[in-house]
Amino acid sequence: MAPLTFHSTNGQAPRVDLKQALLAGQAPDRGLYLPDRIPELSADRIADLRGKPYADVAFDVLSAYTDGVIEPEALRALCRDAYDYAVPLEPVAGVEGVHVLRLDQGPTASFKDFAARMMARLIGRFLQEDRRELLILTATSGDTGSAVASAFHNVPGVRVLVLFPREEVSERQRRQMTTLGDNIRTIALEGKFDDCQALVKRAFSDPDLADLDLSSANSINIGRLLPQTVYYFYAAAQVAEPDEPVVVAVPSGNFGNMMGCMLAGRMGLKLRKLVVPVNANDEFPVFLRTGRYARIEPSRACISNAMNVGHPSNLARLVELYGGWLDETGCLHRAPDFAAMRRDLFSVAVSDDATRAAIRQAWRDHRLLLEPHGAVGWQGLLEYRRAEGLDGAPAVVVETAHPAKFPDEIERLLGFTPEVPGALARLEGLPEDYDALPPRYELLKDYLLERYGGARASAR
Ligand SMILES: *Cc1c(COP(=O)(O)O)cnc(C)c1O
């Protein structure tokens, strides 16, 4: 079959192949890339995934997107190399059929490792083919930056600059980015995550920076989304019979993770409901209920800090999958099919108080250890069960970070500190290196031109 092509959600950019979409990140019309045709996995192939190691499931799912672009054996090697850690699926004691999928065993202990490690390997391979270099510019609310920095650390042909909001990331999150060195640089921005994201977006559309070959590793890159379809197939294969619909609960911020599940559904995975709880940034549940979209500015600071997003970038993709058109500014040009969206999705906002109560309840009633993001997911599932009932359907709650990343909160709520995984413990003694900037575009632009503008010749 011919390789897949990708179009922009804004409809004003030329179609591209997977390689071009990955290397560009955002489409030139500021839209996001989506495949023109979502490839389907047959029921037999999905049934076949049961019991396979994670890396093999990744190969089976991702080859639907890389056919004709990457040789199967090369893809298999990339999958084995990227996914060399455990993917635990923990049954929840006392609730039949409910599982927690712990996506926190990668090198930076967040689910973002899954996407970042595969994307880094794909991009590294494409750059090698073309003998090109890229500057990856990315904004993070905590976990993206560390996952991206770790994934690209020492990948030839790639330099990485990460912007993070100085006051909104934990010390450990910061250390994961600022202790790497080599081809990785970080900026502490005196602002919020939304400021970081706005500056990065502006840099991408600035013609003065065209020579820098900027690319994005945010969840706007289609290369982040595709690997995030894999764990839904993997989990469903273990907890459900083939063809038995599952309920999946995904704590959401920029909606990249839930979009992975949406795509998995369109590829053939049987979903009964996709539950997308958010924190106090409730623009999505309000949109789903009322049909009116209003971004939240500035975004609200919550303990689930990686989800402090007042305007989820992936919403443009979600709206398009339901026939609508939302542009990057949050303007709804064409309404999606809300009835279909409400049939497939369930969304609630979970306050910090409710998040803390959920951490306590999960531990007390089930000996289930959750950190704030996973607790938002758990609470979302409980509210869905209350509203619509599970009726014995298998359910999977996605835990997106390791509890040890939030030691103070867990200590205060549960009276103990979670054991720190080795990957995080190693950061403690390492020296940090980062720059600081106020949230002004001109300053970032100067920084980019100064640091990266003239260096290309010497880097070759
Ligand atoms: C990024 C992140 C989220 C939100 O994921 P989105 O794809 O942005 O919705 C949730 N939890 C953690 C720990 C994260 O790092």
Side-chain angles (χ1 to χ4, degrees):
M1 209 178 290
L4 284 182
T5 49
F6 295 78
H7 64 273
S8 163
T9 50
N10 280 345
Q12 304 293 316
R15 285 191 154 62
V16 295
D17 64 15
L18 179 66
K19 178 179 186 166
Q20 293 165 318
L22 246 85
L23 295 182
Q26 193 177 25
D29 64 359
R30 298 182 176 215
L32 306 186
Y33 286 117
L34 268 178
D36 290 330
R37 167 184 67 79
I38 296 174
E40 282 185 43
L41 293 190
S42 67
D44 284 350
R45 280 183 71 191
I46 293 176
D48 230 32
L49 299 175
R50 180 166 235 169
K52 282 195 182 181
Y54 190 86
D56 292 358
V57 175
F59 171 78
D60 286 355
V61 174
L62 292 176
S63 42
Y65 291 93
T66 59
D67 264 355
V69 185
I70 297 178
E71 293 297 314
E73 278 325 298
L75 179 68
R76 202 179 276 286
L78 294 187
C79 290
R80 295 220 164 118
D81 186 47
Y83 303 120
D84 58 355
Y85 50 88
V87 188
L89 195 53
E90 179 182 319
V92 178
V95 258
E96 183 66 28
V98 178
H99 292 73
V100 168
L101 177 65
R102 294 201 180 267
L103 301 177
D104 61 359
Q105 304 289 302
T108 72
S110 101
F111 87 95
K112 295 195 171 75
D113 285 326
F114 284 80
R117 287 171 68 77
M118 180 50 66
M119 184 175 71
R121 281 157 180 78
L122 291 172
I123 286 183
R125 189 186 160 82
F126 289 147
L127 287 174
Q128 234 174 359
E129 279 175 15
D130 287 9
R131 297 160 177 266
R132 271 181 68 192
E133 292 181 359
L134 276 186
L135 173 57
I136 303 247
L137 179 61
T138 189
T140 183
S141 55
D143 286 336
T144 315
S146 44
V148 166
S150 156
F152 279 104
H153 188 214
N154 290 331
V155 170
V158 181
R159 286 175 298 178
V160 177
L161 179 62
V162 183
L163 270 71
F164 66 89
R166 196 172 63 179
E167 304 299 332
E168 287 182 12
V169 307
S170 72
E171 179 180 337
R172 198 165 265 143
Q173 283 174 324
R174 191 187 69 230
R175 284 181 172 278
Q176 288 179 305
M177 303 180 264
T178 59
T179 55
L180 290 166
D182 302 315
N183 58 335
I184 313 294
R185 248 186 231 274
T186 41
I187 294 180
L189 201 81
E190 292 147 20
K192 293 178 164 285
F193 170 62
D194 292 349
D195 298 318
C196 297
Q197 210 173 22
L199 291 194
V200 164
K201 279 193 173 164
R202 211 166 141 192
F204 280 116
S205 51
D206 187 339
D208 294 350
L209 299 179
D211 279 352
L212 294 185
D213 264 343
L214 290 180
S215 180
S216 122
N218 269 2
S219 52
I220 59 175
N221 194 306
I222 190 75
R224 288 275 303 282
L225 232 45
L226 303 182
Q228 291 177 175
T229 60
V230 173
Y231 39 77
Y232 296 107
F233 283 102
Y234 176 80
Q238 326 300 323
V239 306
E241 293 307 315
D243 251 23
E244 186 185 21
V246 287
V247 174
V248 179
V250 186
S252 291
N254 252 322
F255 280 52
N257 200 1
M258 73 76 76
M259 271 302 297
C261 192
M262 276 296 304
L263 281 182
R266 298 289 172 105
M267 292 174 74
L269 187 70
K270 292 277 182 299
L271 296 171
R272 175 182 152 116
K273 203 79 172 189
L274 174 50
V275 179
V276 277
V278 296
N279 60 23
N281 294 281
D282 62 354
E283 65 279 358
F284 182 71
V286 169
F287 177 54
L288 191 61
R289 193 174 64 239
T290 65
R292 276 186 298 277
Y293 183 66
R295 43 203 284 184
I296 293 177
E297 266 190 282
S299 59
R300 299 167 183 154
C302 301
I303 57 171
S304 48
N305 64 358
M307 309 195 318
N308 294 342
V309 181
H311 174 43
S313 43
N314 278 291
L315 205 51
R317 288 189 169 114
L318 181 66
V319 165
E320 180 179 311
L321 288 192
Y322 287 95
W325 174 22
L326 181 78
D327 75 16
E328 72 285 353
T329 67
C331 176
L332 189 64
H333 297 271
R334 188 170 62 244
D337 179 347
F338 281 108
M341 270 173 97
R342 290 179 193 126
R343 193 183 60 227
D344 296 347
L345 306 174
F346 178 87
S347 187
V348 284
V350 180
S351 68
D352 277 355
D353 283 350
T355 305
R356 292 190 172 104
I359 292 175
R360 279 205 208 86
Q361 182 271 342
W363 182 252
R364 188 192 62 220
D365 294 353
H366 309 288
R367 281 295 177 264
L368 170 64
L369 181 58
L370 298 172
E371 54 67 62
H373 305 82
V376 168
W378 174 249
Q379 184 61 25
L381 183 72
L382 296 184
E383 294 194 22
Y384 166 67
R385 186 174 68 176
R386 199 170 306 138
E388 300 188 14
L390 273 179
D391 303 326
V396 175
V397 178
V398 177
E399 174 52 289
T400 49
H402 196 285
K405 292 181 123 176
F406 301 85
D408 300 344
E409 200 66 55
I410 305 280
E411 162 80 45
R412 211 167 325 126
L413 294 169
L414 304 181
F416 63 89
T417 30
E419 199 174 322
V420 179
L424 299 185
R426 278 191 287 281
L427 298 170
E428 302 286 331
L430 298 177
E432 291 187 80
D433 182 22
Y434 60 98
D435 297 311
L437 277 186
R440 285 191 18 227
Y441 179 66
E442 301 313 321
L443 297 177
L444 174 68
K445 182 168 174 173
D446 288 348
Y447 184 101
L448 285 167
L449 288 170
E450 217 167 273
R451 299 288 194 301
Y452 300 101
R456 286 165 50 77
S458 61
R460 287 238 166 91

